[in-house]
Amino acid sequence: MSIGQLDVETLCAWVDALARAETVYAPQARGDRFVYDRLRRAEDLRLDHDVTLLPPKKYFLPPRERLAQFDGTGAARSVLDETPFVLFGVHPYDVAAIAQADAYYLKENPDAHYAARRRGAVIVACDVQAASSSVFAACMGTAVAREGFDLLLTRVDGAYVADARTPAGEALLARAGRLSKADAVALGRREQVWQDALKFLRRHELKCRPADLPGLLTRSYEHAAWEKRSERCHSCASCVLVCPSCFCFDVQDDTGWDLCSGERCRRWDACLLRDFALVADTTSARTAWSAIVTASTARASTCTTASASWPASAADAASPPAPRALPIPSSSTTPCWRTDHAGLRLRRGEGPLPFAAGRPAAQDPCHRPRDAL
Amino acid sequence: MGKPRVAIFDFACCEGCQLQIVNLEEDILGLLGLVQPVEWREALSDRSDEYDIAIVEGSITRAEDEERLRGIRKRAKLLIALGACATIGGVNKLKNACDMEDVRRYVYGRAAAMPHLATEPTRALDEVVKVDYKIHGCPVSRRELGAVVRSLAMGVEPVIPNYPVCVECKLRETVCRYEYNEVCLGVVTRGGCNAPCPAGGGWCYGCRGLVDDPNVNAARDVMDKYGRTPADLQRRLALFNSPGAVSCPKS
Ligand code: SF4
Ligand code: SF4
């Protein structure tokens, strides 16, 4: 597969052509934040975005989607959205999250609706140019993308190294026309960008190896940390909904006035919402679980008073092997990654590239909630 | 089997929720295909005491209202509370913090002594009688109203959301108002409205009432984080979610 170098002029022309011919979704400014949205022209593209309000999972698993339609005769048909699209400018950690979602939705019980969208997607990844103030990708091993994309763009010295990894990426890149060869200097600089990313994209430290996390979590179901966290939890599910790799949903039918025709819809749901945890007799599964834990703890220990709450700490629930402490990441003092990679805003035909801060300026022309009321 | 007979009643309110039913536009034909309205002040001149379903808007503010509502409850197999005044008391409860005599004099002036103006602390319908279903909002959404009616007609439990408005802010990518130094009630308010107020640049007034089990500790933490106090929340909550009648001074 080919590696080439694009100057910004060429990149802009290429992106403009893609945006005209294809459905392209890319990070753009909305108000003083960034969102993935349909890209109409290169100058709206913000490869210098720090983080977007919602991750690109919304294009594979939309917040609300129609799964099936049924008419008055009892006939039903699946609704599959197979419109091909280009997802442009995806950060490496979001690439990793898409791979994660692929594992849930394509492996054991393939989901036709997810698969249809996923089949039609070409992913253009882009190395991070401006870091989010709470980035922790480096300690999760997702600061740099090795796979899971069709094409990777890396900004080096005011130009972009474009690295096609799949035939689809190759075909997309071919449409850029004049592609100069990426020389050893550019590739060396790209290596440096990756090294910097691995070093600096960690605003929070993880005090264990990412590979240890599943085991730690399995052993920490009864850890007091959960109780402590839940005291401060609004159950608003914001964390889960914006999470690039959380994937739960609810399915409901919307029936027409004839009570026969209608549609079956899927909407994001979240384990932190109260009703998500309701079980058949309308007790919350969490309360039920808590009661089970309490009961079994009471049995296991000599404690005679049945407590209505969770065990005070994992140590109290002691039945060997004792769970290892769950490391709660604390904010570290590592400064946010704001190096000379601070972003650029693509503008056609401007000489030296203007540097932008991590966030769009508030006076940005689109500082208006677009879908207000 | 005939269509269920529906009666629509109003108590203290602006009658805007009842108007939402009239505003169903072409959907009204669908509604009339499922139920037969037998009493509906805004749209029918008929009256009837024979009905299966009572849809009631407004809150209870006088002794005679209470009596009338009890009568409705007795006759109806199913009672649906329509809109914030009925489901939570809504803005009508603002007066619960005041002395009822003062309220009466302030609002009605010289007419205050007339017997039909003998106002009492406001109560939501379920503080007086059993309510089977609540359609929340000020005003109610026509979409939700339609969905509840259709669910009931199919014998399916209607889905009334019990998650905070924040969920819908996330789904439509609205930046949280707290990020702009504002106070929003969405964190404790029942969603289902699609969060139009924060999306429009305002904040949630809590018109759909509180979610079940709002986490007060968490609210306090959010207030701390943004340099606000729980009193900032409470002040705003008063608009739609003032305390019930029990805790208020009686005239
Ligand atoms: S604006 Fe209000 S409703 Fe939206 S996320 Fe923030 S607190 Fe929640
Ligand atoms: S955002 Fe809040 S005030 Fe606005 S409609 Fe929804 S519940 Fe009511």
Side-chain angles (χ1 to χ4, degrees):
Chain A
M1 296 288 149
S2 54
I3 299 191
Q5 198 168 330
L6 295 166
D7 57 40
V8 170
E9 276 286 299
T10 318
L11 180 71
C12 286
W14 176 51
V15 169
D16 266 331
L18 289 180
R20 268 197 306 274
E22 315 284 342
T23 305
V24 178
Y25 298 114
Q28 295 162 62
R30 185 194 292 170
D32 54 2
R33 306 297 159 110
F34 294 107
V35 290
Y36 276 94
D37 205 349
R38 177 84 191 261
L39 188 73
R40 302 285 173 188
R41 47 193 192 159
E43 69 178 294
D44 293 336
L45 174 66
R46 297 296 300 267
L47 292 178
D48 65 329
H49 68 287
D50 55 352
V51 70
T52 52
L53 291 180
L54 283 182
K57 78 170 171 186
K58 68 177 181 177
Y59 293 116
F60 303 110
L61 186 72
R64 293 185 181 85
E65 78 179 297
R66 210 162 43 171
L67 297 180
Q69 254 176 331
F70 31 97
D71 60 25
T73 67
R77 63 172 189 91
S78 284
V79 178
L80 295 179
D81 182 0
E82 301 189 284
T83 325
F85 61 94
V86 179
L87 199 52
F88 202 101
V90 185
H91 277 166
Y93 43 81
D94 278 332
V95 170
I98 293 170
Q100 187 78 50
D102 286 353
Y104 313 135
Y105 277 103
L106 300 177
K107 288 218 169 115
E108 272 171 34
N109 281 308
D111 181 284
H113 307 273
Y114 181 94
R117 292 199 175 81
R118 189 67 183 84
R119 263 197 307 277
V122 179
I123 297 177
V124 180
C126 183
D127 278 307
V128 178
Q129 297 176 23
S132 148
S133 59
S134 46
V135 69
F136 60 98
C139 50
M140 291 300 291
T142 54
V144 173
R146 308 274 177 214
E147 54 185 8
F149 53 84
D150 298 286
L151 183 62
L152 173 68
L153 298 176
T154 312
R155 183 180 162 238
V156 293
D157 302 329
Y160 280 85
V161 173
D163 185 348
R165 298 287 177 87
T166 65
E170 189 83 18
L172 205 67
L173 186 58
R175 291 158 69 175
R178 329 167 250 135
L179 195 66
S180 51
K181 211 173 151 327
D183 54 25
V185 179
L187 293 182
R189 287 284 297 129
R190 181 173 73 157
E191 190 57 45
Q192 189 55 50
V193 169
W194 290 343
Q195 291 311 320
D196 284 353
L198 292 171
K199 200 156 132 205
F200 294 117
L201 291 183
R202 50 167 84 222
R203 178 83 169 123
H204 301 281
E205 284 302 329
L206 188 65
K207 293 171 189 148
C208 68
R209 285 170 305 164
D212 293 338
L213 282 173
L216 276 171
L217 285 171
T218 321
R219 285 198 296 274
S220 306
Y221 277 133
E222 290 157 36
H223 197 282
W226 301 117
E227 183 75 44
K228 205 167 143 226
R229 291 275 134 175
S230 77
E231 277 166 18
R232 305 184 47 180
C233 174
H234 254 306
S235 290
C236 71
S238 293
C239 54
V240 177
L241 296 168
V242 303
C243 173
S245 60
C246 279
F247 58 92
C248 290
F249 58 79
D250 187 22
V251 175
Q252 262 154 29
D253 289 349
D254 191 5
T255 317
W257 287 105
D258 60 0
L259 306 186
C260 298
S261 64
E263 50 193 41
R264 174 156 296 183
C265 299
R266 164 153 82 180
R267 208 209 58 200
W268 290 357
D269 204 343
C271 56
L272 289 170
L273 295 176
R274 188 181 174 276
D275 283 15
F276 186 96
L278 283 187
V279 288
D281 68 347
T282 69
T283 357
S284 163
R286 276 182 247 157
T287 323
W289 175 246
S290 162
I292 293 165
V293 170
T294 312
S296 58
T297 312
R299 271 199 309 277
S301 69
T302 51
C303 172
T304 48
T305 35
S307 137
S309 63
W310 283 37
S313 78
D316 295 348
S319 53
R324 269 170 63 189
L326 180 77
I328 305 276
S330 59
S331 21
S332 79
T333 47
T334 317
C336 169
W337 194 42
R338 295 241 187 263
T339 65
D340 53 342
H341 302 297
L344 85 163
R345 176 158 192 180
L346 287 175
R347 277 204 205 92
R348 180 193 292 280
E350 274 183 24
L353 289 161
F355 284 100
R359 287 275 163 83
Q363 69 271 27
D364 214 280
C366 48
H367 184 54
R368 217 176 309 121
R370 201 176 308 171
D371 48 355
L373 289 169
Chain B
M1 195 182 79
K3 287 187 274 188
R5 296 162 64 89
V6 171
I8 299 168
F9 300 102
D10 41 72
F11 288 87
C13 64
C14 75
E15 298 186 26
C17 290
Q18 195 177 146
L19 200 59
Q20 286 288 79
I21 310 181
V22 182
N23 283 347
L24 279 172
E25 295 170 1
E26 61 259 47
D27 279 354
I28 208 147
L29 297 176
L31 179 74
L32 296 180
L34 292 183
V35 298
Q36 186 196 349
V38 294
E39 173 155 356
W40 181 2
R41 209 170 56 80
E42 279 185 6
L44 273 189
S45 44
D46 300 359
R47 301 199 55 190
S48 170
D49 278 343
E50 303 279 310
Y51 41 84
D52 306 299
I53 302 173
I55 298 181
V56 183
E57 64 169 352
S59 30
I60 305 307
T61 58
R62 300 176 304 178
E64 61 198 87
D65 295 342
E66 178 171 349
E67 200 178 315
R68 181 169 161 238
L69 180 65
R70 288 191 195 283
I72 292 170
R73 175 73 264 191
K74 232 178 255 143
R75 283 185 287 275
K77 296 194 186 80
L78 209 65
L79 189 147
I80 302 175
L82 186 72
C85 296
T87 57
I88 55 176
V91 285
N92 292 334
K93 275 196 173 178
L94 271 172
K95 75 167 182 189
N96 287 4
C98 310
D99 179 80
M100 288 305 125
E101 259 330 295
D102 288 351
V103 169
R104 217 166 144 178
R105 269 202 308 276
Y106 185 81
V107 176
Y108 299 109
R110 268 177 299 156
M114 304 203 24
H116 71 290
L117 301 177
T119 194
E120 289 178 357
T122 302
R123 282 174 295 172
L125 300 189
D126 66 355
E127 292 172 273
V128 180
V129 296
K130 175 171 172 275
V131 169
D132 299 295
Y133 296 102
K134 294 178 183 176
I135 303 178
H136 296 277
C138 176
V140 294
S141 103
R142 281 169 283 174
R143 182 193 48 75
E144 190 172 16
L145 172 74
V148 169
V149 171
R150 293 193 298 267
S151 296
L152 292 174
M154 288 188 292
V156 179
E157 196 65 17
V159 180
I160 314 275
N162 184 26
Y163 51 74
V165 177
C166 303
V167 168
E168 284 159 349
C169 272
K170 300 295 140 357
L171 297 192
R172 57 189 295 179
E173 292 184 280
T174 302
V175 179
C176 182
R177 301 313 301 172
Y178 281 95
E179 292 286 302
Y180 300 111
N181 209 18
E182 284 165 30
V183 172
C184 176
L185 299 180
V187 269
V188 288
T189 302
R190 182 185 303 275
C193 54
N194 202 22
C197 306
W203 44 278
C204 171
Y205 301 83
C207 81
R208 292 175 61 90
L210 301 181
V211 282
D212 299 348
D213 294 340
N215 188 346
V216 188
N217 293 329
R220 201 164 291 137
D221 274 4
V222 173
M223 292 297 115
D224 284 350
K225 176 175 170 197
Y226 289 97
R228 300 291 191 142
T229 63
D232 288 321
L233 263 188
Q234 268 148 10
R235 232 189 346 266
R236 286 169 173 79
L237 268 173
L239 184 58
F240 275 100
N241 295 277
S242 280
V246 251
S247 61
C248 292
K250 263 209 144 185
S251 59

